[in-house]
Amino acid sequence: MPIPLVNSIASWFLKKRFHQIDLFLKYPNEVQNELLFHLLSKAKDTEIGKQYEFSSISSYREFSQRVPVSSYEDYQNVIERSRRGENNIFWPHPIKWFAKSSGTTNAKSKFIPVSSESLEDCHYAASKDLLCMYLSNNEDSQLFTGKSLRLGGSKELYKENGTAFGDLSAILIDNMPFWAEFSSTPSSRVSLMNNWEEKMQAIVEETRYENVTSLAGVPSWMLVLLNNVLDATGKDSLFDIWPNLEVYFHGGVSFVPYQDQYEAILPRNNFRYYEIYNASEGFFAIQDRNNSSELLLMLDYGIFYEFISMDAYGTSNQKVIPLSEVALDTNYAVIITTNAGLWRYKIGDTVRFTSINPYRIKVSGRTKHHINAFGEELIIENAEDALRKVCAITNAEIVDYTAAPIFMKGKTKGSHEWLIEFKTEPKDLEAFNALLDQTLQSINSDYEAKRLNDMTLVLPKVHAARSGLFYDWLKQHDRVGGQHKIPRLSNSREYLDELLVLNTAQVL
C-alpha cells in the first residue's frame, strides 16, 4: 500500500479518535465517574457484584465505603477459581486469559485476569492511540514504510481448564489481528519462543535484514537485543543496519539509567523516544508530546482510578481519593477498578502528577520497592535521578543495580548498600560513592536529614558487580525475558544478600 494512502487512513482514524480524547481532556472527572457506573452496572449480577450490592450504589462515596481496597492476596482464591473455568465471579463475561507476572509473598506468580474488553478497549486501543499521537506530532513520519521490531516476553502460552496464561506480551501477540503480523518483526513464531537465548539469536537473524522503522519493548532487554544485533553485524550504529529507524516506544522500567547507552548506538539528534505506562493489569498512560518526560493519563480505557498518598500509605491514616482530588508533586500509590474485574486493586506502582489540566503523570516507583528503613523515603525516582547525574560527572555507564539497607547493630549506625553492574566503571569507586551520597542528599530532604552529621545514616557502600551478574540472577530464578525486572530498591536485604553471594560465585 503506498505510504501517502496509509498516512491518509491513519489521519482519518486520528481525527476520529482525537474527538473522543478531547472529551476526557475537557471533562475528565465526568468521564471517570460515568465509567465507574458503567463497570458497576455491567458486573452487578456477578458474585462480587451481589456481595457488595453494586446495583444499589449511587455515588462514588458509596462505592468507596462499600467495596474494600484489595491486593493480589485478597484476589488469589477467586482468580484460581476463574482459572479453573468458573465464570461470573468478578466479571460477567468468561475470562479466558491470565497474564502471568512476578509473584508476591504468598504466591510464586501472579495471574492477572485479561478479559476480551480489556484486550480490545484497553491494550489494543492504547496501541492505536500511541501511534495516533506519534503521527499527529510527526507529520513527516515514514513509520509505515517499514516494520516495528517488538520485543516481548519469553514464555509460551500454557492452556489448562479452557483458560490460558502467559506473559502479557505473549497474550497480546497471540490475539493480534492477522494484518498486524505484516507490520511487525520478528514473526509470532519467534516472538513466542520459550528459550530466551535461542529466541534472541533467532530475532537477530530474522530482523537484521528487515526495514525496521520503530522499536518497542522494555529498555533493559531491548538494549541486550540491540547490542547483539550490533555484534552480529559488526556495526557501531543501528542506523547502519536500519537507516529508516525513527522512534523507540518503551516502558516497563525507567528509561533514565539506559538513555546514554541508547544515544550512543542511535546517534541522531532527531531520533525520538516515546514512553508508555502499561502493566499486566492495564494500559494507563502515554507520552503525548515529543521530547516530553510526562505521560497523559488515559481515562477512557475501562479503568477507574483512585490514589493513596504515600505519606500515609499502609497506615491507619491512609485515605483513598478519586482523580478529582489529587494534588501536584505528591507521591501516590495507584488503585484501579477495571473492565477485567479488578475492583479497587492495588497495582503496586507509585506516580506523581505533573499537571492536573490535563492529568499528566510521571511513574515514580513501586510501593514495595523503596528504602525507608530509617525514615529516609528513598524512592526509585530519586535513585535513578542521582545515578544519572553521577554517571554524567564520572563518565560511568550502568547496566543494572540494586540497593538495600545496612541495619543498625548495637551502636553501629545504619547505612545503604549498593550493588551496581557497570558497562563503564568509574575510575574511582570511592569518589563515585561519595558523589552519589551528596547527590541523593540534594534530591531527597529526608535522606539529607538522616545523613546530617552521620546522625542516623553513615556514608553508603557501593560495590561493583561482575559482568553479567544480574542476568545470572534472573536466569537462576527463571526470570530471563522481556518483562522481568531487577528489584531496584528494597527495605529487605533478601535480594542484595543473594546477589552479593552470587557476585563472588563462578559464572553460570
Side-chain angles (χ1 to χ4, degrees), residues 97-102 108-109 111 151-158 165-174 188-197 199 474-475 477-484:
W97 301 95
F98 294 85
K100 183 181 178 183
S101 64
S102 54
K108 184 179 178 182
S109 298
F111 296 91
L151 180 62
S154 60
K155 296 289 185 185
E156 293 177 348
L157 293 166
Y158 299 91
F165 68 90
D167 282 359
L168 175 66
S169 57
I171 293 171
L172 295 177
I173 289 168
D174 202 56
S188 293
R189 179 189 64 81
V190 170
S191 293
L192 296 175
M193 286 176 67
N194 194 34
N195 184 293
W196 178 253
E197 275 125 0
K199 172 179 168 176
L474 287 168
K475 188 174 181 180
H477 289 271
D478 193 27
R479 294 183 185 175
V480 172
Q483 292 186 306
H484 295 293

mmCIF file of all heavy atoms in Angstrom, residues 97-102 108-109 111 151-158 165-174 188-197 199 474-475 477-484:
data_model
loop_
_atom_site.group_PDB
_atom_site.id
_atom_site.type_symbol
_atom_site.label_atom_id
_atom_site.label_comp_id
_atom_site.label_asym_id
_atom_site.label_seq_id
_atom_site.Cartn_x
_atom_site.Cartn_y
_atom_site.Cartn_z
ATOM 1 N N TRP A 97 -8.082 -15.515 29.532
ATOM 2 C CA TRP A 97 -6.641 -15.229 29.535
ATOM 3 C C TRP A 97 -6.204 -14.700 30.891
ATOM 4 O O TRP A 97 -6.912 -13.911 31.529
ATOM 5 C CB TRP A 97 -6.314 -14.186 28.461
ATOM 6 C CG TRP A 97 -6.699 -14.607 27.087
ATOM 7 C CD1 TRP A 97 -7.868 -14.314 26.422
ATOM 8 C CD2 TRP A 97 -5.941 -15.415 26.199
ATOM 9 N NE1 TRP A 97 -7.876 -14.881 25.185
ATOM 10 C CE2 TRP A 97 -6.705 -15.561 25.013
ATOM 11 C CE3 TRP A 97 -4.681 -16.037 26.280
ATOM 12 C CZ2 TRP A 97 -6.253 -16.296 23.924
ATOM 13 C CZ3 TRP A 97 -4.235 -16.761 25.196
ATOM 14 C CH2 TRP A 97 -5.009 -16.882 24.037
ATOM 15 N N PHE A 98 -5.006 -15.102 31.310
ATOM 16 C CA PHE A 98 -4.421 -14.611 32.556
ATOM 17 C C PHE A 98 -2.958 -14.252 32.300
ATOM 18 O O PHE A 98 -2.190 -15.085 31.815
ATOM 19 C CB PHE A 98 -4.535 -15.670 33.662
ATOM 20 C CG PHE A 98 -5.952 -15.938 34.070
ATOM 21 C CD1 PHE A 98 -6.731 -16.852 33.355
ATOM 22 C CD2 PHE A 98 -6.526 -15.256 35.126
ATOM 23 C CE1 PHE A 98 -8.051 -17.084 33.696
ATOM 24 C CE2 PHE A 98 -7.847 -15.492 35.483
ATOM 25 C CZ PHE A 98 -8.617 -16.404 34.767
ATOM 26 N N ALA A 99 -2.621 -12.996 32.597
ATOM 27 C CA ALA A 99 -1.246 -12.533 32.389
ATOM 28 C C ALA A 99 -0.407 -12.913 33.601
ATOM 29 O O ALA A 99 -0.712 -12.512 34.724
ATOM 30 C CB ALA A 99 -1.229 -11.025 32.172
ATOM 31 N N LYS A 100 0.620 -13.708 33.355
ATOM 32 C CA LYS A 100 1.482 -14.171 34.438
ATOM 33 C C LYS A 100 2.579 -13.137 34.687
ATOM 34 O O LYS A 100 3.259 -12.699 33.759
ATOM 35 C CB LYS A 100 2.112 -15.516 34.059
ATOM 36 C CG LYS A 100 2.973 -16.129 35.148
ATOM 37 C CD LYS A 100 3.564 -17.452 34.676
ATOM 38 C CE LYS A 100 4.478 -18.059 35.734
ATOM 39 N NZ LYS A 100 5.115 -19.303 35.248
ATOM 40 N N SER A 101 2.728 -12.738 35.944
ATOM 41 C CA SER A 101 3.781 -11.773 36.302
ATOM 42 C C SER A 101 4.440 -12.209 37.593
ATOM 43 O O SER A 101 4.024 -13.181 38.227
ATOM 44 C CB SER A 101 3.201 -10.358 36.426
ATOM 45 O OG SER A 101 2.271 -10.293 37.486
ATOM 46 N N SER A 102 5.486 -11.490 37.994
ATOM 47 C CA SER A 102 6.255 -11.891 39.175
ATOM 48 C C SER A 102 5.370 -11.917 40.406
ATOM 49 O O SER A 102 4.397 -11.163 40.509
ATOM 50 C CB SER A 102 7.432 -10.942 39.391
ATOM 51 O OG SER A 102 6.993 -9.614 39.441
ATOM 52 N N LYS A 108 4.148 -17.648 44.144
ATOM 53 C CA LYS A 108 5.325 -17.587 43.280
ATOM 54 C C LYS A 108 5.075 -16.691 42.077
ATOM 55 O O LYS A 108 5.944 -15.962 41.633
ATOM 56 C CB LYS A 108 5.703 -18.998 42.823
ATOM 57 C CG LYS A 108 6.975 -19.048 41.987
ATOM 58 C CD LYS A 108 7.312 -20.463 41.578
ATOM 59 C CE LYS A 108 8.565 -20.492 40.709
ATOM 60 N NZ LYS A 108 8.882 -21.867 40.260
ATOM 61 N N SER A 109 3.868 -16.759 41.526
ATOM 62 C CA SER A 109 3.490 -15.947 40.379
ATOM 63 C C SER A 109 2.095 -15.375 40.588
ATOM 64 O O SER A 109 1.275 -15.943 41.296
ATOM 65 C CB SER A 109 3.493 -16.791 39.098
ATOM 66 O OG SER A 109 4.777 -17.286 38.816
ATOM 67 N N PHE A 111 -1.404 -14.169 38.563
ATOM 68 C CA PHE A 111 -2.135 -14.418 37.326
ATOM 69 C C PHE A 111 -3.239 -13.370 37.229
ATOM 70 O O PHE A 111 -4.268 -13.478 37.894
ATOM 71 C CB PHE A 111 -2.704 -15.841 37.306
ATOM 72 C CG PHE A 111 -1.638 -16.903 37.304
ATOM 73 C CD1 PHE A 111 -1.157 -17.430 38.503
ATOM 74 C CD2 PHE A 111 -1.095 -17.359 36.109
ATOM 75 C CE1 PHE A 111 -0.155 -18.393 38.509
ATOM 76 C CE2 PHE A 111 -0.094 -18.331 36.102
ATOM 77 C CZ PHE A 111 0.382 -18.842 37.300
ATOM 78 N N LEU A 151 9.736 -6.526 21.081
ATOM 79 C CA LEU A 151 10.414 -7.486 21.953
ATOM 80 C C LEU A 151 9.521 -7.740 23.148
ATOM 81 O O LEU A 151 9.365 -6.884 24.022
ATOM 82 C CB LEU A 151 11.777 -6.956 22.406
ATOM 83 C CG LEU A 151 12.579 -7.890 23.317
ATOM 84 C CD1 LEU A 151 12.902 -9.200 22.601
ATOM 85 C CD2 LEU A 151 13.854 -7.222 23.790
ATOM 86 N N GLY A 152 8.924 -8.907 23.191
ATOM 87 C CA GLY A 152 8.022 -9.248 24.283
ATOM 88 C C GLY A 152 8.633 -10.283 25.208
ATOM 89 O O GLY A 152 9.833 -10.544 25.186
ATOM 90 N N GLY A 153 7.781 -10.890 26.015
ATOM 91 C CA GLY A 153 8.231 -11.885 26.976
ATOM 92 C C GLY A 153 8.655 -13.176 26.314
ATOM 93 O O GLY A 153 8.394 -13.425 25.141
ATOM 94 N N SER A 154 9.318 -14.022 27.094
ATOM 95 C CA SER A 154 9.888 -15.242 26.526
ATOM 96 C C SER A 154 9.087 -16.494 26.861
ATOM 97 O O SER A 154 9.536 -17.596 26.587
ATOM 98 C CB SER A 154 11.319 -15.419 27.053
ATOM 99 O OG SER A 154 11.310 -15.528 28.454
ATOM 100 N N LYS A 155 7.921 -16.336 27.446
ATOM 101 C CA LYS A 155 7.137 -17.505 27.843
ATOM 102 C C LYS A 155 6.139 -17.887 26.755
ATOM 103 O O LYS A 155 5.544 -17.039 26.111
ATOM 104 C CB LYS A 155 6.367 -17.221 29.140
ATOM 105 C CG LYS A 155 7.284 -16.969 30.339
ATOM 106 C CD LYS A 155 7.980 -18.229 30.778
ATOM 107 C CE LYS A 155 8.791 -17.972 32.045
ATOM 108 N NZ LYS A 155 9.566 -19.126 32.451
ATOM 109 N N GLU A 156 5.944 -19.154 26.573
ATOM 110 C CA GLU A 156 4.868 -19.615 25.711
ATOM 111 C C GLU A 156 3.555 -19.527 26.482
ATOM 112 O O GLU A 156 3.538 -19.324 27.691
ATOM 113 C CB GLU A 156 5.115 -21.065 25.286
ATOM 114 C CG GLU A 156 6.326 -21.242 24.384
ATOM 115 C CD GLU A 156 6.571 -22.708 24.044
ATOM 116 O OE1 GLU A 156 5.941 -23.575 24.692
ATOM 117 O OE2 GLU A 156 7.379 -22.973 23.153
ATOM 118 N N LEU A 157 2.465 -19.699 25.754
ATOM 119 C CA LEU A 157 1.159 -19.734 26.402
ATOM 120 C C LEU A 157 0.842 -21.156 26.823
ATOM 121 O O LEU A 157 0.995 -22.092 26.043
ATOM 122 C CB LEU A 157 0.094 -19.214 25.436
ATOM 123 C CG LEU A 157 0.217 -17.726 25.099
ATOM 124 C CD1 LEU A 157 -0.647 -17.383 23.901
ATOM 125 C CD2 LEU A 157 -0.183 -16.881 26.293
ATOM 126 N N TYR A 158 0.410 -21.325 28.059
ATOM 127 C CA TYR A 158 0.078 -22.637 28.586
ATOM 128 C C TYR A 158 -1.427 -22.713 28.804
ATOM 129 O O TYR A 158 -1.996 -21.891 29.523
ATOM 130 C CB TYR A 158 0.806 -22.883 29.898
ATOM 131 C CG TYR A 158 2.309 -22.845 29.763
ATOM 132 C CD1 TYR A 158 3.003 -21.660 29.955
ATOM 133 C CD2 TYR A 158 3.023 -23.988 29.419
ATOM 134 C CE1 TYR A 158 4.383 -21.617 29.818
ATOM 135 C CE2 TYR A 158 4.404 -23.948 29.277
ATOM 136 C CZ TYR A 158 5.072 -22.767 29.476
ATOM 137 O OH TYR A 158 6.442 -22.718 29.330
ATOM 138 N N PHE A 165 -2.613 -18.986 30.161
ATOM 139 C CA PHE A 165 -1.815 -17.963 30.829
ATOM 140 C C PHE A 165 -0.446 -17.860 30.173
ATOM 141 O O PHE A 165 0.039 -18.778 29.526
ATOM 142 C CB PHE A 165 -1.665 -18.256 32.331
ATOM 143 C CG PHE A 165 -0.836 -19.475 32.653
ATOM 144 C CD1 PHE A 165 0.540 -19.361 32.835
ATOM 145 C CD2 PHE A 165 -1.417 -20.726 32.786
ATOM 146 C CE1 PHE A 165 1.316 -20.473 33.147
ATOM 147 C CE2 PHE A 165 -0.656 -21.847 33.086
ATOM 148 C CZ PHE A 165 0.717 -21.720 33.266
ATOM 149 N N GLY A 166 0.170 -16.706 30.351
ATOM 150 C CA GLY A 166 1.493 -16.439 29.798
ATOM 151 C C GLY A 166 1.826 -14.978 30.022
ATOM 152 O O GLY A 166 1.034 -14.229 30.611
ATOM 153 N N ASP A 167 3.007 -14.537 29.569
ATOM 154 C CA ASP A 167 3.337 -13.121 29.656
ATOM 155 C C ASP A 167 2.270 -12.317 28.931
ATOM 156 O O ASP A 167 1.715 -12.758 27.920
ATOM 157 C CB ASP A 167 4.694 -12.848 29.001
ATOM 158 C CG ASP A 167 5.859 -13.243 29.896
ATOM 159 O OD1 ASP A 167 5.598 -13.706 31.011
ATOM 160 O OD2 ASP A 167 7.014 -13.085 29.468
ATOM 161 N N LEU A 168 2.016 -11.100 29.422
ATOM 162 C CA LEU A 168 1.044 -10.239 28.754
ATOM 163 C C LEU A 168 1.391 -10.065 27.280
ATOM 164 O O LEU A 168 0.516 -10.121 26.411
ATOM 165 C CB LEU A 168 0.983 -8.865 29.440
ATOM 166 C CG LEU A 168 0.091 -7.846 28.745
ATOM 167 C CD1 LEU A 168 -1.367 -8.276 28.792
ATOM 168 C CD2 LEU A 168 0.275 -6.456 29.347
ATOM 169 N N SER A 169 2.683 -9.860 26.985
ATOM 170 C CA SER A 169 3.086 -9.643 25.590
ATOM 171 C C SER A 169 2.736 -10.862 24.739
ATOM 172 O O SER A 169 2.333 -10.731 23.578
ATOM 173 C CB SER A 169 4.584 -9.347 25.498
ATOM 174 O OG SER A 169 5.335 -10.388 26.083
ATOM 175 N N ALA A 170 2.868 -12.057 25.306
ATOM 176 C CA ALA A 170 2.531 -13.271 24.567
ATOM 177 C C ALA A 170 1.032 -13.333 24.287
ATOM 178 O O ALA A 170 0.597 -13.726 23.198
ATOM 179 C CB ALA A 170 2.974 -14.508 25.346
ATOM 180 N N ILE A 171 0.223 -12.925 25.269
ATOM 181 C CA ILE A 171 -1.232 -12.901 25.082
ATOM 182 C C ILE A 171 -1.605 -11.901 23.992
ATOM 183 O O ILE A 171 -2.434 -12.180 23.118
ATOM 184 C CB ILE A 171 -1.936 -12.551 26.411
ATOM 185 C CG1 ILE A 171 -1.738 -13.682 27.430
ATOM 186 C CG2 ILE A 171 -3.427 -12.287 26.191
ATOM 187 C CD1 ILE A 171 -2.209 -13.341 28.833
ATOM 188 N N LEU A 172 -0.970 -10.730 24.025
ATOM 189 C CA LEU A 172 -1.272 -9.703 23.026
ATOM 190 C C LEU A 172 -0.878 -10.163 21.627
ATOM 191 O O LEU A 172 -1.621 -9.966 20.663
ATOM 192 C CB LEU A 172 -0.547 -8.395 23.378
ATOM 193 C CG LEU A 172 -0.981 -7.714 24.684
ATOM 194 C CD1 LEU A 172 -0.130 -6.484 24.950
ATOM 195 C CD2 LEU A 172 -2.449 -7.337 24.630
ATOM 196 N N ILE A 173 0.297 -10.779 21.515
ATOM 197 C CA ILE A 173 0.755 -11.260 20.210
ATOM 198 C C ILE A 173 -0.160 -12.372 19.709
ATOM 199 O O ILE A 173 -0.526 -12.419 18.536
ATOM 200 C CB ILE A 173 2.219 -11.750 20.298
ATOM 201 C CG1 ILE A 173 3.160 -10.559 20.486
ATOM 202 C CG2 ILE A 173 2.629 -12.542 19.053
ATOM 203 C CD1 ILE A 173 4.586 -10.929 20.869
ATOM 204 N N ASP A 174 -0.568 -13.248 20.607
ATOM 205 C CA ASP A 174 -1.400 -14.387 20.216
ATOM 206 C C ASP A 174 -2.790 -13.960 19.744
ATOM 207 O O ASP A 174 -3.424 -14.655 18.955
ATOM 208 C CB ASP A 174 -1.536 -15.353 21.393
ATOM 209 C CG ASP A 174 -1.905 -16.763 20.949
ATOM 210 O OD1 ASP A 174 -1.173 -17.333 20.121
ATOM 211 O OD2 ASP A 174 -2.931 -17.277 21.430
ATOM 212 N N SER A 188 5.469 -14.026 14.817
ATOM 213 C CA SER A 188 4.860 -14.507 16.069
ATOM 214 C C SER A 188 5.516 -15.799 16.539
ATOM 215 O O SER A 188 5.676 -16.029 17.743
ATOM 216 C CB SER A 188 3.359 -14.728 15.879
ATOM 217 O OG SER A 188 2.707 -13.505 15.662
ATOM 218 N N ARG A 189 5.923 -16.629 15.600
ATOM 219 C CA ARG A 189 6.577 -17.898 15.962
ATOM 220 C C ARG A 189 7.837 -17.630 16.782
ATOM 221 O O ARG A 189 8.056 -18.254 17.831
ATOM 222 C CB ARG A 189 6.937 -18.681 14.697
ATOM 223 C CG ARG A 189 7.645 -20.016 14.976
ATOM 224 C CD ARG A 189 8.168 -20.639 13.699
ATOM 225 N NE ARG A 189 9.196 -19.829 13.084
ATOM 226 C CZ ARG A 189 10.492 -19.830 13.478
ATOM 227 N NH1 ARG A 189 10.877 -20.581 14.491
ATOM 228 N NH2 ARG A 189 11.377 -19.065 12.857
ATOM 229 N N VAL A 190 8.646 -16.688 16.328
ATOM 230 C CA VAL A 190 9.887 -16.359 17.048
ATOM 231 C C VAL A 190 9.568 -15.584 18.319
ATOM 232 O O VAL A 190 10.153 -15.831 19.381
ATOM 233 C CB VAL A 190 10.848 -15.566 16.137
ATOM 234 C CG1 VAL A 190 12.020 -15.002 16.939
ATOM 235 C CG2 VAL A 190 11.362 -16.459 15.012
ATOM 236 N N SER A 191 8.627 -14.650 18.245
ATOM 237 C CA SER A 191 8.274 -13.840 19.422
ATOM 238 C C SER A 191 7.838 -14.688 20.601
ATOM 239 O O SER A 191 8.068 -14.334 21.756
ATOM 240 C CB SER A 191 7.147 -12.864 19.073
ATOM 241 O OG SER A 191 7.574 -11.895 18.167
ATOM 242 N N LEU A 192 7.192 -15.828 20.310
ATOM 243 C CA LEU A 192 6.651 -16.667 21.379
ATOM 244 C C LEU A 192 7.573 -17.822 21.760
ATOM 245 O O LEU A 192 7.190 -18.695 22.534
ATOM 246 C CB LEU A 192 5.278 -17.216 20.972
ATOM 247 C CG LEU A 192 4.180 -16.154 20.784
ATOM 248 C CD1 LEU A 192 2.904 -16.784 20.258
ATOM 249 C CD2 LEU A 192 3.904 -15.420 22.088
ATOM 250 N N MET A 193 8.810 -17.819 21.240
ATOM 251 C CA MET A 193 9.763 -18.870 21.621
ATOM 252 C C MET A 193 10.015 -18.828 23.120
ATOM 253 O O MET A 193 10.077 -17.753 23.720
ATOM 254 C CB MET A 193 11.082 -18.702 20.850
ATOM 255 C CG MET A 193 11.005 -19.114 19.392
ATOM 256 S SD MET A 193 12.555 -18.790 18.474
ATOM 257 C CE MET A 193 13.666 -19.962 19.274
ATOM 258 N N ASN A 194 10.206 -19.985 23.714
ATOM 259 C CA ASN A 194 10.322 -20.083 25.163
ATOM 260 C C ASN A 194 11.745 -19.895 25.667
ATOM 261 O O ASN A 194 11.968 -19.262 26.696
ATOM 262 C CB ASN A 194 9.781 -21.436 25.631
ATOM 263 C CG ASN A 194 9.556 -21.479 27.128
ATOM 264 O OD1 ASN A 194 9.185 -20.474 27.718
ATOM 265 N ND2 ASN A 194 9.791 -22.620 27.730
ATOM 266 N N ASN A 195 12.730 -20.430 24.954
ATOM 267 C CA ASN A 195 14.124 -20.319 25.387
ATOM 268 C C ASN A 195 14.655 -18.935 25.004
ATOM 269 O O ASN A 195 14.772 -18.606 23.824
ATOM 270 C CB ASN A 195 14.962 -21.427 24.726
ATOM 271 C CG ASN A 195 16.401 -21.407 25.226
ATOM 272 O OD1 ASN A 195 17.154 -20.475 24.966
ATOM 273 N ND2 ASN A 195 16.781 -22.450 25.949
ATOM 274 N N TRP A 196 14.993 -18.139 26.030
ATOM 275 C CA TRP A 196 15.345 -16.741 25.790
ATOM 276 C C TRP A 196 16.598 -16.603 24.929
ATOM 277 O O TRP A 196 16.631 -15.790 23.997
ATOM 278 C CB TRP A 196 15.523 -16.027 27.130
ATOM 279 C CG TRP A 196 15.928 -14.593 26.997
ATOM 280 C CD1 TRP A 196 17.142 -14.042 27.250
ATOM 281 C CD2 TRP A 196 15.095 -13.511 26.560
ATOM 282 N NE1 TRP A 196 17.117 -12.695 27.011
ATOM 283 C CE2 TRP A 196 15.877 -12.350 26.583
ATOM 284 C CE3 TRP A 196 13.765 -13.426 26.136
ATOM 285 C CZ2 TRP A 196 15.379 -11.091 26.217
ATOM 286 C CZ3 TRP A 196 13.278 -12.182 25.769
ATOM 287 C CH2 TRP A 196 14.072 -11.035 25.809
ATOM 288 N N GLU A 197 17.634 -17.378 25.224
ATOM 289 C CA GLU A 197 18.881 -17.236 24.468
ATOM 290 C C GLU A 197 18.700 -17.631 22.998
ATOM 291 O O GLU A 197 19.186 -16.952 22.093
ATOM 292 C CB GLU A 197 19.998 -18.063 25.118
ATOM 293 C CG GLU A 197 20.708 -17.312 26.247
ATOM 294 C CD GLU A 197 20.699 -18.091 27.556
ATOM 295 O OE1 GLU A 197 20.142 -19.206 27.593
ATOM 296 O OE2 GLU A 197 21.247 -17.573 28.540
ATOM 297 N N LYS A 199 15.887 -17.574 21.423
ATOM 298 C CA LYS A 199 14.992 -16.570 20.878
ATOM 299 C C LYS A 199 15.755 -15.312 20.468
ATOM 300 O O LYS A 199 15.514 -14.751 19.387
ATOM 301 C CB LYS A 199 13.919 -16.219 21.910
ATOM 302 C CG LYS A 199 13.030 -15.035 21.547
ATOM 303 C CD LYS A 199 12.013 -14.833 22.645
ATOM 304 C CE LYS A 199 11.292 -13.524 22.491
ATOM 305 N NZ LYS A 199 10.240 -13.336 23.488
ATOM 306 N N LEU A 474 18.717 -13.454 37.359
ATOM 307 C CA LEU A 474 17.412 -13.649 36.731
ATOM 308 C C LEU A 474 17.288 -15.067 36.166
ATOM 309 O O LEU A 474 16.247 -15.715 36.290
ATOM 310 C CB LEU A 474 17.205 -12.620 35.619
ATOM 311 C CG LEU A 474 16.925 -11.185 36.079
ATOM 312 C CD1 LEU A 474 17.032 -10.221 34.903
ATOM 313 C CD2 LEU A 474 15.556 -11.063 36.727
ATOM 314 N N LYS A 475 18.357 -15.542 35.551
ATOM 315 C CA LYS A 475 18.342 -16.883 34.976
ATOM 316 C C LYS A 475 18.179 -17.934 36.067
ATOM 317 O O LYS A 475 17.420 -18.904 35.905
ATOM 318 C CB LYS A 475 19.648 -17.117 34.201
ATOM 319 C CG LYS A 475 19.665 -18.405 33.385
ATOM 320 C CD LYS A 475 20.921 -18.482 32.540
ATOM 321 C CE LYS A 475 20.934 -19.757 31.700
ATOM 322 N NZ LYS A 475 22.153 -19.847 30.871
ATOM 323 N N HIS A 477 16.609 -17.646 38.727
ATOM 324 C CA HIS A 477 15.232 -17.598 39.232
ATOM 325 C C HIS A 477 14.198 -17.763 38.123
ATOM 326 O O HIS A 477 13.014 -17.484 38.329
ATOM 327 C CB HIS A 477 14.998 -16.271 39.973
ATOM 328 C CG HIS A 477 15.708 -16.185 41.288
ATOM 329 N ND1 HIS A 477 15.128 -16.618 42.467
ATOM 330 C CD2 HIS A 477 16.966 -15.769 41.610
ATOM 331 C CE1 HIS A 477 15.992 -16.443 43.460
ATOM 332 N NE2 HIS A 477 17.111 -15.931 42.969
ATOM 333 N N ASP A 478 14.649 -18.210 36.956
ATOM 334 C CA ASP A 478 13.764 -18.445 35.813
ATOM 335 C C ASP A 478 12.971 -17.185 35.464
ATOM 336 O O ASP A 478 11.764 -17.214 35.214
ATOM 337 C CB ASP A 478 12.796 -19.613 36.112
ATOM 338 C CG ASP A 478 12.078 -20.101 34.850
ATOM 339 O OD1 ASP A 478 12.649 -19.935 33.756
ATOM 340 O OD2 ASP A 478 10.954 -20.621 34.972
ATOM 341 N N ARG A 479 13.677 -16.049 35.452
ATOM 342 C CA ARG A 479 13.030 -14.765 35.135
ATOM 343 C C ARG A 479 13.674 -14.077 33.936
ATOM 344 O O ARG A 479 13.540 -12.864 33.772
ATOM 345 C CB ARG A 479 13.097 -13.824 36.350
ATOM 346 C CG ARG A 479 12.289 -14.295 37.543
ATOM 347 C CD ARG A 479 12.359 -13.276 38.659
ATOM 348 N NE ARG A 479 11.699 -13.755 39.870
ATOM 349 C CZ ARG A 479 11.701 -13.096 41.024
ATOM 350 N NH1 ARG A 479 12.325 -11.939 41.130
ATOM 351 N NH2 ARG A 479 11.091 -13.600 42.085
ATOM 352 N N VAL A 480 14.397 -14.819 33.129
ATOM 353 C CA VAL A 480 15.009 -14.218 31.951
ATOM 354 C C VAL A 480 13.924 -13.960 30.926
ATOM 355 O O VAL A 480 13.133 -14.835 30.610
ATOM 356 C CB VAL A 480 16.103 -15.136 31.361
ATOM 357 C CG1 VAL A 480 16.600 -14.597 30.032
ATOM 358 C CG2 VAL A 480 17.264 -15.259 32.334
ATOM 359 N N GLY A 481 13.877 -12.742 30.393
ATOM 360 C CA GLY A 481 12.882 -12.437 29.366
ATOM 361 C C GLY A 481 12.390 -11.019 29.437
ATOM 362 O O GLY A 481 12.653 -10.283 30.396
ATOM 363 N N GLY A 482 11.626 -10.637 28.424
ATOM 364 C CA GLY A 482 11.306 -9.246 28.161
ATOM 365 C C GLY A 482 10.550 -8.496 29.236
ATOM 366 O O GLY A 482 10.585 -7.284 29.264
ATOM 367 N N GLN A 483 9.823 -9.164 30.142
ATOM 368 C CA GLN A 483 9.010 -8.417 31.097
ATOM 369 C C GLN A 483 9.493 -8.556 32.542
ATOM 370 O O GLN A 483 8.868 -8.049 33.459
ATOM 371 C CB GLN A 483 7.548 -8.868 30.988
ATOM 372 C CG GLN A 483 6.911 -8.470 29.657
ATOM 373 C CD GLN A 483 5.436 -8.781 29.616
ATOM 374 O OE1 GLN A 483 5.017 -9.896 29.856
ATOM 375 N NE2 GLN A 483 4.627 -7.795 29.302
ATOM 376 N N HIS A 484 10.614 -9.226 32.738
ATOM 377 C CA HIS A 484 11.129 -9.391 34.098
ATOM 378 C C HIS A 484 12.098 -8.260 34.443
ATOM 379 O O HIS A 484 12.858 -7.808 33.602
ATOM 380 C CB HIS A 484 11.808 -10.750 34.248
ATOM 381 C CG HIS A 484 10.856 -11.903 34.091
ATOM 382 N ND1 HIS A 484 9.851 -12.157 34.998
ATOM 383 C CD2 HIS A 484 10.741 -12.849 33.129
ATOM 384 C CE1 HIS A 484 9.166 -13.221 34.605
ATOM 385 N NE2 HIS A 484 9.681 -13.652 33.473
#
